[in-house]
Amino acid sequence: QSALTQEASVSGTVGQKVTLSCIGNSNNIGSFPVAWCQQISHGAPKTVMFGNSLPSGIPDRFSASKSGTTASLTVSGLQPEDEADYYCSTWDHSLNAWVFGGGTKLTVL
Amino acid sequence: EVLLVESGGGLVQPGGSLRLSCAASGFTLSSYSMNWVRQAPGKGLEWVSYISSSSGSIYYADSVKGRFTISRDNAKNSLYLRMNSLRAEDTAVYYCVRDHQMLFDSWGQGTLVTVSS
């Protein structure tokens, strides 16, 4: 069982806005920034957000936010190429380890 | 462009050893902490180990503590993971990942380790 909880699957149509969530606790998300990575067809993961920063080359339709112990990744104007698995991650100071969510499969209908 | 290239994966018998390498280019390795993250077949991502820029701080996941050793050679722009006493459950793709302010920043393409008799 993952330390961070994500939806198993989320879907949306092209152009729609979707939000993925990542639920943790005060030892992880409540205290540290969160990164989000995208994994397309079991290829190598790619970071799409770290903290509130958008890595170079990532389209600005990706955005992130955090409220208390829940982090969110929003994709505005969904595109077919956004179909992928998305994982959240952060440091957990009670476990002294980086922790991941179980991943959300985003399907573009 | 940041480039991380892992190597050293392969098939190994249970109880065996393997050493993974990660060649870094496009940035100054000595300025960054680094991690190893793995993904078992059909499963999610699992953090394995962390090493600070100067090797002064090292952490391991409980699942590999005492069996795996992370190290780096900044002069050779390389990161390593020595894996001993390998088990079937260590079978995974292993990724070299750059750390940016305690967040996973850039990922390599991965190297597959298969532990099987």
Side-chain angles (χ1 to χ4, degrees):
Chain A
Q1 189 168 349
S2 303
L4 306 178
T5 301
Q6 298 183 249
E7 302 97 339
S9 63
V10 170
S11 63
T13 56
V14 172
Q16 192 176 7
K17 181 171 77 172
V18 296
T19 298
L20 284 59
S21 67
C22 176
I23 302 170
N25 58 41
S26 59
N27 294 315
N28 44 61
I29 292 179
S31 300
F32 299 96
V34 176
W36 292 86
C37 68
Q38 174 194 66
Q39 188 175 37
I40 297 174
S41 300
H42 302 289
K46 179 171 69 173
T47 297
V48 293
M49 291 292 299
F50 54 93
N52 293 321
S53 299
L54 199 64
S56 173
I58 301 300
D60 60 7
R61 62 176 180 272
F62 287 90
S63 62
S65 63
K66 188 173 75 166
S67 178
T69 58
T70 299
S72 300
L73 177 71
T74 297
V75 186
S76 304
L78 200 58
Q79 297 298 308
E81 59 266 31
D82 298 332
E83 184 163 291
D85 293 324
Y86 290 84
Y87 294 88
C88 57
S89 63
T90 188
W91 171 254
D92 188 304
H93 72 78
S94 70
L95 298 174
N96 264 347
W98 274 263
V99 291
F100 282 95
T104 295
K105 182 176 182 59
L106 175 60
T107 300
V108 181
L109 303 172
Chain B
E1 179 195 5
V2 173
L3 196 59
L4 299 166
V5 180
E6 301 92 337
S7 60
L11 175 63
V12 61
Q13 293 189 338
S17 298
L18 215 52
R19 187 201 198 202
L20 305 184
S21 299
C22 171
S25 61
F27 68 101
T28 304
L29 182 65
S30 59
S31 298
Y32 289 86
S33 300
M34 298 293 294
N35 295 271
W36 288 98
V37 173
R38 69 184 180 183
Q39 185 172 36
K43 302 295 185 182
L45 300 170
E46 179 191 16
W47 169 76
V48 173
S49 184
Y50 162 94
I51 185 168
S52 63
S53 57
S54 62
S55 305
S57 293
I58 288 176
Y59 302 114
Y60 298 99
D62 287 344
S63 56
V64 307
K65 204 171 292 183
R67 300 187 299 122
F68 289 13
T69 302
I70 192 171
S71 63
R72 63 192 296 161
D73 186 335
N74 289 335
K76 294 183 177 179
N77 292 315
S78 293
L79 174 73
Y80 307 101
L81 186 68
R82 176 69 180 181
M83 305 185 295
N84 295 330
S85 304
L86 283 162
R87 307 165 180 167
E89 54 266 34
D90 295 319
T91 294
V93 175
Y94 285 73
Y95 296 101
C96 167
V97 189
R98 192 177 76 169
D99 183 288
H100 177 75
Q101 297 178 352
M102 295 187 69
L103 294 170
F104 300 128
D105 172 21
S106 300
W107 300 69
Q109 89 290 344
T111 186
L112 175 63
V113 172
T114 303
V115 184
S116 174
S117 54

